Amino acid sequence: MEIERSTATGWVAWVLFGGILLVLLGALHLTVGLIALLRPELIAGDRADQLLDISLTSIGWLHVALGVIALVAGVGLIRGLTWARVVSVGLALLAALVNFAFIAVHPVWSVIGIGLAVLIAWAVAAHGREVADAYGS
């Protein structure tokens, strides 16, 4: 199939950037989760286990689940799939909320994270369809 003319705007770059970030974030969460499950002694005793009163095994499985969801949603977002846009906006808003919770601890990084999350959520919600259009689907 040949595409003669695309109506995609520059906002597609932000949507694709969000997809790439989701893939990277998913890989990071998956790695941390596997470390927590397979080698918990590597992360035991740091600040992460003091934030929530749950076991490292539970934290590990949470990271694995979030990692898989983010990884699959990121690939789907890059492909322009509708379900991936919905999941991506949800994950971006969740990331903004988590960053807001840590704003007192890491103010600069939290504000940067909130800004990126909101920008990407808006770009995906408003211009996500343009990615699918660029693929001709």
Side-chain angles (χ1 to χ4, degrees), residues 5 23 33 35 38 42-44 70-71 92 98 104 109 111 120 135:
R5 177 170 153 67
V23 169
I35 289 171
L38 302 175
L42 293 177
I43 59 173
L71 195 63
V98 169
W109 287 115
V111 169
I120 290 170
Y135 280 111

Side-chain angles (χ1 to χ4, degrees), residues 35-81:
I35 289 171
L37 292 173
L38 302 175
R39 301 280 309 269
E41 67 275 4
L42 293 177
I43 59 173
D46 67 359
R47 292 190 301 172
D49 65 343
Q50 297 171 4
L51 292 174
L52 300 170
D53 191 25
I54 57 176
S55 69
L56 280 176
T57 302
S58 299
I59 291 173
W61 282 113
L62 179 66
H63 276 286
V64 167
L66 281 173
V68 168
I69 291 169
L71 195 63
V72 172
V75 171
L77 184 59
I78 292 168
R79 294 292 304 152
L81 302 175

Side-chain angles (χ1 to χ4, degrees), residues 8 14 25 28 35 38 74 76 78 89 95 103-104 107 110 137:
W14 282 104
L25 183 67
L28 178 68
I35 289 171
L38 302 175
I78 292 168
V89 169
I103 204 162
S110 292
S137 56

Side-chain angles (χ1 to χ4, degrees), residues 71-97:
L71 195 63
V72 172
V75 171
L77 184 59
I78 292 168
R79 294 292 304 152
L81 302 175
T82 303
W83 66 265
R85 294 195 310 261
V86 173
V87 171
S88 298
V89 169
L91 287 174
L93 295 177
L94 178 64
L97 183 65

